[in-house]
């Protein structure tokens, strides 16, 4: 009946009251916001106050004059309401616009309230626009909508827009307390908190649920009866699930899940509720985020207690796993198994040998080759001393030449023999195993190391006193490894360098310093590489064990320029040249990293 009785919209109601007091009124207002927050109610109160013959000093309607009395008795001829959801045609709007020509008989203004205005058709909007552009002095329009984005910009530009806030849980609880006290209904604050959370920011929904709960509880609203009436899962289950997960107690967790499902609760809703619970625990860990908890004070204390026991990493991992489960729940054919696996993974996050909680990662083609070539180097670091490696490096190598990654793809028997394997319907991996074994032996004998260190941007690095020869394949391998180790700020030039092909311009031999030539596409990229040339040279010297290496950068001539293929395009070309590559990727579920 008055602005003071509107809950949770203090800023808006204050503005409207000030407009009534000053008499400075716009000819069109737009009230927008979520459902059940008081848009239409405020429109009616505002319309009543505008036409009040004796408004109070605070800008409220007096409630006693003829205009207020006629409004209260629903016989006012100055206030018209139109539901645009059911009256959205051009004819309805034209009929309404004809009413604007008649001046008010009692009061100052004719007020037209159009609810759900976004439901008007385009033709109706256009018919309404003319009157809205040049309205009579005695006409005020108040439009209300839940979907402001559907209204034409030409309409929006001619209205004063008021955005209503959704109700907070605490505001809803406080209002429900007032209603319960006025109606003489007993209540528990936790029960009102459940009603407020169920209403999801809508006061109208909260009052409807409150009426339902009051009837079910027969005048005494308790927490247990409310969750039974609304079929809401007790928050105690969420607290127990988190405690069991922290303690890695999978068995009791599965028993608890069976109990929840046995009571008729859906697994997907359980995961959604648990995710919201874990989010609240995460917010309770920091005093700055504690106000973000939309729960009662008693629940807030419980969240803070559990936040002390839960590690932040555990909460992050659990939220990620539940988000993945929520996205895949609808498409899953075995929904209960999906929920069980998710809870098991959550319960294993805090285990020392955590390997399950991180989830399944796709096998990647690039990582596969990288791990194979890095394996010998890891064994050397664990079992061999520096002196033994130096002696072995001085001995002449009798192993076959090291192969690059593209040559490995050819060595795994994927040329002509791949066609015969396709005919058999199954891809045999014996040839691949043999080639990778040879690859390990070659890497160990040649001492080809893909070192895990970072790219040395200073270009000063450790001094290299070795002058060992190296092959073109070894140069290409270390060039690609260097590009992968570049820091984030050099990722752009690193990606371009991956598509360049370094060539041994002057082969290393006694008395002759090796020169590595790189052809770059243009002067801009050459300038970028010149800026880090010292770092590139020092990195190649360290990893190719030759201190005499120098780098020659040259801009490509027109006849040398060719289309640079991306990694995915290179893989596509390989698949076109050899169908066994496609079959290998499909059978082993490989993707390009």
């Amino acid at each position: 009946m008055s602005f003071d009785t509107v809950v949770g919209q203090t800023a808006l109601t204050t503005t409207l009251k000030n407009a009534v007091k000053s008499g400075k009124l716009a000819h069109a207002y737009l009230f927008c916001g979520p459902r059940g927050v008081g848009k239409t109610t405020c429109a009616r109160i505002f319309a009543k106050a505008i036409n009040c013959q004796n408004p109070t000093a605070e800008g409220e309607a007096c409630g006693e004059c003829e205009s207020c009395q006629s409004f209260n008795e629903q016989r006012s001829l100055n206030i018209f309401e139109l539901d645009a959801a059911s009256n959205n045609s051009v004819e309805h709007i034209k009929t309404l616009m004809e009413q604007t020509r008649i001046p008010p008989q009692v009061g100052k203004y004719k007020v037209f309230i159009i609810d759900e205005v976004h439901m008007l058709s385009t033709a109706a909007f256009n018919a309404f626009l003319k009157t809205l552009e040049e309205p009579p002095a005695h006409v005020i329009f108040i439009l209300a909508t839940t979907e402001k984005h559907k209204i034409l910009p030409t309409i929006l530009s001619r209205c004063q827009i008021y955005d209503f806030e959704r109700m907070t849980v605490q505001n809803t609880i406080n209002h429900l307390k007032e209603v319960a006290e006025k109606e003489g209904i007993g209540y528990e604050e936790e029960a009102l908190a459940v009603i407020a959370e169920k209403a999801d920011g809508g006061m109208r929904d909260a009052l409807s649920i409150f009426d339902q709960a009051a009837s079910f509880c027969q005048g005494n609203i308790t927490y247990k009866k409310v969750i039974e009436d609304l079929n809401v899962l007790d928050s105690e289950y969420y607290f127990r699930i988190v405690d069991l997960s922290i303690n890695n107690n999978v068995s009791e967790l599965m028993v608890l899940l069976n109990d929840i499902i046995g009571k008729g609760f859906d697994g997907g809703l359980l995961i959604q509720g648990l995710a919201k619970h874990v989010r609240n625990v995460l917010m309770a860990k920091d005093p700055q985020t504690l106000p973000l908890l939309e729960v009662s004070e008693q629940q807030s204390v419980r969240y803070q207690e559990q936040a002390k026991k839960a590690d932040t990493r555990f909460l992050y991992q659990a939220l990620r796993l539940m988000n993945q489960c929520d996205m895949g729940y609808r498409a899953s054919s075995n929904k209960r198994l999906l929920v069980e696996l998710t809870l098991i993974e959550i319960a294993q996050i805090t285990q020392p040998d955590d390997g399950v909680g991180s989830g399944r990662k796709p096998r990647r083609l690039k990582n596969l080759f990288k791990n194979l070539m890095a394996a010998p180097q890891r064994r050397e670091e664990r079992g061999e001393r520096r002196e033994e490696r130096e002696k072995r490096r001085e001995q002449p190598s009798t192993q076959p030449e090291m192969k690059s990654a593209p040559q490995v793809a050819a060595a795994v028997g994927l040329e002509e023999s791949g066609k015969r394997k396709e005919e058999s319907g199954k891809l045999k991996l014996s040839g691949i195993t043999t080639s990778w074994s040879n690859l390990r032996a070659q890497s160990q004998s040649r001492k080809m190391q893909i070192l895990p260190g970072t790219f040395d941007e200073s270009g000063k690095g450790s001094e290299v006193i070795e002058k060992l020869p190296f092959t073109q394949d070894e140069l290409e391998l270390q060039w690609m490894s260097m590009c992968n180790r570049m820091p984030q700020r050099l990722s752009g030039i690193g990606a371009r360098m991956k598509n360049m092909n370094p060539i041994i311009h002057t082969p290393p031999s006694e008395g002759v310093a090796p020169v590595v030539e790189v052809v770059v596409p243009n002067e801009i990229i050459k300038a970028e590489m010149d800026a880090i040339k010292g770092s590139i040279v020092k990195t190649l010297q360290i990893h190719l064990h030759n201190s005499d290496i120098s780098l020659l950068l040259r801009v490509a001539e027109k006849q040398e320029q060719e289309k640079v293929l991306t990694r995915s395009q290179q893989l596509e070309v390989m698949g076109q040249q050899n169908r066994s590559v496609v079959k290998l990727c499909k059978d082993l579920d490989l993707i390009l990293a």
Side-chain angles (χ1 to χ4, degrees):
M1 298 298 294
S2 65
F3 285 118
D4 291 337
T5 58
V6 178
V7 182
Q9 310 293 344
T10 307
L12 290 178
T13 54
T14 302
T15 305
L16 295 176
K17 286 194 292 184
N18 291 338
V20 173
K21 286 192 296 182
S22 64
K24 296 179 180 179
L25 301 174
H27 68 274
Y29 296 84
L30 176 63
F31 293 171
C32 49
R35 55 182 171 74
V37 294
K39 299 185 297 297
T40 308
T41 300
C42 281
R44 291 169 180 163
I45 297 173
F46 189 42
K48 178 182 176 183
I50 287 173
N51 274 322
C52 179
Q53 297 173 346
N54 301 303
T56 65
E58 291 78 21
E60 296 275 10
C62 67
E64 298 177 356
C65 64
E66 173 60 25
S67 177
C68 292
Q69 290 291 336
S70 61
F71 179 83
N72 294 339
E73 297 171 6
Q74 298 183 358
R75 56 181 177 82
S76 175
L77 299 177
N78 295 338
I79 299 175
F80 297 86
E81 276 195 56
L82 177 71
D83 179 19
S86 55
N87 303 281
N88 55 8
S89 66
V90 178
E91 289 73 18
H92 290 114
I93 291 298
K94 286 183 177 180
T95 302
L96 190 68
M97 294 304 101
E98 289 176 358
Q99 298 292 328
T100 62
R101 301 176 184 176
I102 305 173
Q105 302 301 314
V106 179
K108 302 177 182 178
Y109 300 97
K110 271 198 170 184
V111 183
F112 294 85
I113 301 174
I114 304 179
D115 203 4
E116 301 297 336
V117 69
H118 65 275
M119 298 292 287
L120 289 178
S121 63
T122 304
F125 266 127
N126 292 330
F128 175 53
L129 183 60
K130 182 60 178 176
T131 305
L132 191 63
E133 287 176 348
E134 300 174 358
H138 59 270
V139 171
I140 292 179
F141 293 103
I142 304 178
L143 316 178
T145 180
T146 56
E147 300 184 48
K148 182 172 67 173
H149 61 278
K150 291 186 177 180
I151 299 177
L152 297 178
T154 49
I155 301 290
L156 294 176
S157 64
R158 289 170 171 83
C159 299
Q160 279 192 11
I161 301 175
Y162 290 80
D163 290 300
F164 283 66
E165 302 175 1
R166 67 184 291 269
M167 299 294 174
T168 64
V169 171
Q170 195 57 49
N171 279 343
T172 305
I173 292 174
N174 293 338
H175 186 63
L176 293 180
K177 285 181 181 179
E178 294 179 5
V179 174
E181 290 169 0
K182 289 180 181 179
E183 298 292 332
I185 299 174
Y187 63 87
E188 292 180 0
E189 187 169 344
E190 289 187 0
L192 299 184
V194 172
I195 294 174
E197 291 178 20
K198 188 77 172 178
D200 192 27
M203 184 61 73
R204 182 173 63 237
D205 292 351
L207 293 172
S208 299
I209 298 172
F210 179 83
D211 287 340
Q212 176 184 338
S215 300
F216 181 79
C217 299
Q218 296 181 349
N220 186 21
I221 301 177
T222 62
Y223 176 76
K224 291 186 177 180
K225 289 184 178 180
V226 166
I227 62 174
E228 180 185 353
D229 181 36
L230 301 180
N231 196 31
V232 176
L233 186 61
D234 191 352
S235 61
E236 185 64 30
Y237 282 105
Y238 298 133
F239 284 102
R240 288 177 59 189
I241 289 175
V242 173
D243 288 337
L244 292 173
S245 299
I246 294 174
N247 298 324
N248 313 125
N249 196 334
V250 177
S251 300
E252 290 190 27
L253 194 58
M254 292 297 100
V255 174
L256 183 61
L257 174 62
N258 185 68
D259 181 31
I260 293 172
I261 294 178
K263 291 184 177 181
F265 291 99
D266 179 68
L269 296 178
L270 168 65
I271 291 295
Q272 294 175 12
L274 182 60
K276 184 177 180 181
H277 175 88
V278 173
R279 175 261 183 196
N280 288 343
V281 175
L282 185 62
M283 296 298 105
K285 290 187 73 68
D286 192 334
Q288 292 183 342
T289 56
L290 192 59
L292 299 179
L293 292 181
E294 294 189 343
V295 295
S296 63
E297 294 181 3
Q298 296 175 346
Q299 288 286 80
S300 179
V301 173
R302 291 202 63 185
Y303 279 120
Q304 294 178 63
E305 292 175 354
Q306 190 166 73
K308 296 177 182 178
K309 299 184 290 183
D311 182 63
T312 304
R313 187 184 68 88
F314 164 80
L315 298 175
Y316 283 144
Q317 288 277 60
L319 283 173
R320 185 179 60 81
L321 290 170
M322 286 185 287
N323 184 54
Q324 292 176 352
C325 177
D326 186 38
M327 291 189 296
Y329 187 80
R330 182 175 297 180
S332 175
S333 58
N334 193 337
K335 293 179 170 53
R336 175 164 181 166
L337 179 61
L338 178 62
V339 174
E340 289 176 342
L341 288 175
T342 301
L343 294 180
I344 291 172
E345 288 182 311
I346 293 172
Q348 292 180 345
I349 291 175
T350 56
Q351 285 186 346
D353 54 345
D354 176 30
V356 180
S358 59
R360 178 185 181 273
K361 293 184 178 180
R363 291 163 285 177
R364 297 178 181 268
L365 188 60
K366 185 169 70 175
N367 291 345
L368 183 62
F369 283 103
K370 180 179 177 181
N371 293 336
L372 285 173
M373 288 189 247
Q377 185 257 334
R378 288 197 297 268
R379 288 198 297 272
E380 289 171 359
E381 290 179 346
R382 290 196 300 265
E384 296 182 0
R385 296 181 179 180
R386 176 66 182 176
E387 293 79 9
E388 294 176 350
R389 294 201 300 271
E390 291 295 336
K391 292 178 183 179
R392 194 176 295 109
R393 187 178 294 121
E394 294 174 0
Q395 297 175 357
S397 174
T398 59
Q399 295 292 342
E401 185 179 353
M402 177 65 180
K403 295 181 178 181
S404 63
Q407 290 171 322
V408 170
V412 297
L414 297 180
E415 302 101 338
E416 298 301 328
S417 61
K419 299 179 181 179
R420 296 193 295 271
K421 292 176 183 177
E422 285 189 35
E423 294 173 2
S424 64
K426 295 182 179 179
L427 182 64
K428 298 182 180 179
L429 302 178
S430 58
I432 297 178
T433 307
T434 304
S435 297
W436 286 346
S437 299
N438 293 340
L439 180 63
R440 295 189 187 98
Q442 295 167 11
S443 178
Q444 188 169 5
S445 64
R446 302 287 297 177
K447 293 291 169 263
M448 287 300 299
Q449 301 176 358
I450 301 180
L451 300 180
T454 58
F455 179 71
D456 183 10
E457 297 185 61
S458 65
K460 296 181 180 180
S462 57
E463 290 298 325
V464 182
I465 59 175
E466 303 166 298
K467 297 184 181 181
L468 298 181
F470 55 90
T471 65
Q472 176 67 28
D473 291 335
E474 294 168 350
L475 172 62
E476 292 177 3
L477 179 63
Q478 294 304 336
W479 180 272
M480 186 62 64
S481 176
M482 174 184 65
C483 295
N484 289 332
R485 291 198 305 271
M486 283 189 171
Q488 181 64 31
R489 72 176 193 85
L490 298 178
S491 60
I493 187 63
R496 295 184 181 95
M497 289 171 59
K498 287 181 182 180
N499 294 320
M500 299 177 188
N501 187 28
I503 301 173
I504 303 177
H505 188 270
T506 304
S509 61
E510 290 190 14
V512 179
V515 177
V516 175
E517 182 185 42
V518 179
V519 179
V520 298
N522 53 58
E523 289 287 351
I524 297 177
I525 297 179
K526 182 178 181 297
E528 292 185 23
M529 293 183 64
D530 280 333
I532 58 172
K533 183 176 179 180
S535 301
I536 297 174
V537 172
K538 183 58 67 176
T539 303
L540 294 177
Q541 289 176 351
I542 293 173
H543 294 278
L544 291 173
H545 308 287
N546 193 312
S547 60
D548 290 339
I549 294 176
S550 60
L551 182 64
L552 173 63
L553 299 177
R554 180 172 63 84
V555 179
E557 302 293 339
K558 288 187 177 181
Q559 61 272 18
E560 293 178 313
Q561 294 180 356
E562 58 182 18
K563 182 180 179 181
V564 179
L565 300 180
T566 63
R567 292 293 166 190
S568 59
Q569 290 173 336
Q570 292 176 11
L571 181 61
E572 183 179 355
V573 171
M574 291 174 61
Q576 292 173 354
Q577 295 174 351
N578 192 334
R579 299 300 299 174
S580 296
V581 174
V582 179
K583 185 168 178 60
L584 175 70
C585 295
K586 180 179 180 181
D587 290 352
L588 295 184
D589 190 22
L590 301 177
I591 66 172
L592 185 65

